[in-house]
Amino acid sequence: MHVVIMGCGRVGSNLAQSLESRGHSVAVIDQDADAFRRLSPSFSGVTVTGAGFDGEVLRQAGIERADAFAAVSSGDNSNIISARLARETFGVSRVAARIYDPRRAQVYERLGIPTVATVRWTADRMLRHLVPEGNVEIFRDPTSTVSIIEVPVHKDWIGRPLRAVEAAAGARVAYLSRFGIGTLPTGSTVVQEGDQVFMLVTDDIMTSVTSAAGSPPEGAH
């Protein structure tokens, strides 16, 4: 892949070097030529001084053959303008932008631009470390909207279809761990003793999901 990165701060420089170490070609854009000092001396990619929302600068970085574009500068406006330019003008299929303002991030997500809402994501992660709420969170998406949590299942669900647990909880099972091995459930999967069940939830349904799964099935004795 050829990846163009706008912004050579801590995130951009680390991303560039990680991509290059994986065998991808990388071009980095920044308005400050001194920013490229953050790149390793062994970095062999292209560096372009200029604004990432300037079409000519993007062309110098190889945007016309790029497979992906990342906008990770310190400015929300610059990031989203350059991300939209990369996708809508140059047809780059994989585009992502870092956004500090969580309200803007929601708007841009609706426009189809994947965003990493830095402030909200970090604040939520810190909150969960400081004030744990009893749920083991395995994953949270960059917009801090959807998470995967381990959901303890009541023993009376053993022997019943996993889809019945989903129906009662109002959430989907992402995967389960059986004998220490991750397993993708199918329509015929039945809950077995010792299963660890991991469900996809949003914050507003987390409590109801854990309560439903942790209670015996309706009609069970």
Side-chain angles (χ1 to χ4, degrees), residues 184-208:
L184 292 175
T186 66
S188 61
T189 300
V190 172
V191 180
Q192 295 185 13
E193 186 174 0
D195 282 352
Q196 291 177 276
V197 178
F198 299 87
M199 303 189 82
L200 288 158
V201 299
T202 53
D203 289 345
D204 59 324
I205 67 169
M206 189 179 296
T207 300
S208 62

Side-chain angles (χ1 to χ4, degrees), residues 1-5 25-29 46-48 54-69 86 90 92:
M1 290 175 60
H2 178 61
V3 184
V4 177
I5 300 170
S25 66
V26 183
V28 185
I29 300 169
V46 175
T47 57
V48 181
D54 183 316
E56 184 53 39
V57 169
L58 288 168
R59 289 186 181 90
Q60 290 178 39
I63 195 69
E64 292 170 316
R65 61 184 177 88
D67 302 287
F69 178 83
F90 293 101
V92 181

Side-chain angles (χ1 to χ4, degrees), residues 28-153:
V28 185
I29 300 169
D30 201 288
Q31 296 189 70
D32 181 5
D34 288 339
F36 300 130
R37 294 178 181 177
R38 293 190 177 93
L39 296 167
S40 166
S42 62
F43 179 72
S44 61
V46 175
T47 57
V48 181
T49 304
F53 45 83
D54 183 316
E56 184 53 39
V57 169
L58 288 168
R59 289 186 181 90
Q60 290 178 39
I63 195 69
E64 292 170 316
R65 61 184 177 88
D67 302 287
F69 178 83
V72 292
S73 77
S74 59
D76 282 5
N77 289 336
S78 297
N79 286 344
I80 201 61
I81 291 171
S82 62
R84 293 191 67 179
L85 188 62
R87 191 186 68 173
E88 296 169 12
T89 301
F90 293 101
V92 181
S93 58
R94 299 186 181 191
V95 175
R98 180 174 67 169
I99 302 296
Y100 288 92
D101 185 340
R103 292 170 298 181
R104 287 184 177 185
Q106 293 176 356
V107 173
Y108 297 141
E109 284 285 344
R110 295 189 192 106
L111 293 174
I113 302 285
T115 62
V116 178
T118 310
V119 173
R120 180 177 175 183
W121 188 89
T122 303
D124 281 349
R125 296 298 297 181
M126 290 295 292
L127 179 63
R128 291 173 192 283
H129 282 298
L130 297 172
V131 189
E133 298 176 347
N135 296 112
V136 179
E137 184 178 295
I138 307 301
F139 164 84
R140 180 166 286 264
D141 85 296
T143 65
S144 201
T145 303
V146 178
S147 59
I148 298 177
I149 61 170
E150 181 179 355
V151 179
V153 175

Side-chain angles (χ1 to χ4, degrees), residues 155-169:
K155 61 181 179 63
D156 286 353
W157 286 105
I158 295 172
R160 295 175 182 256
L162 193 59
R163 63 175 178 268
V165 180
E166 293 180 319

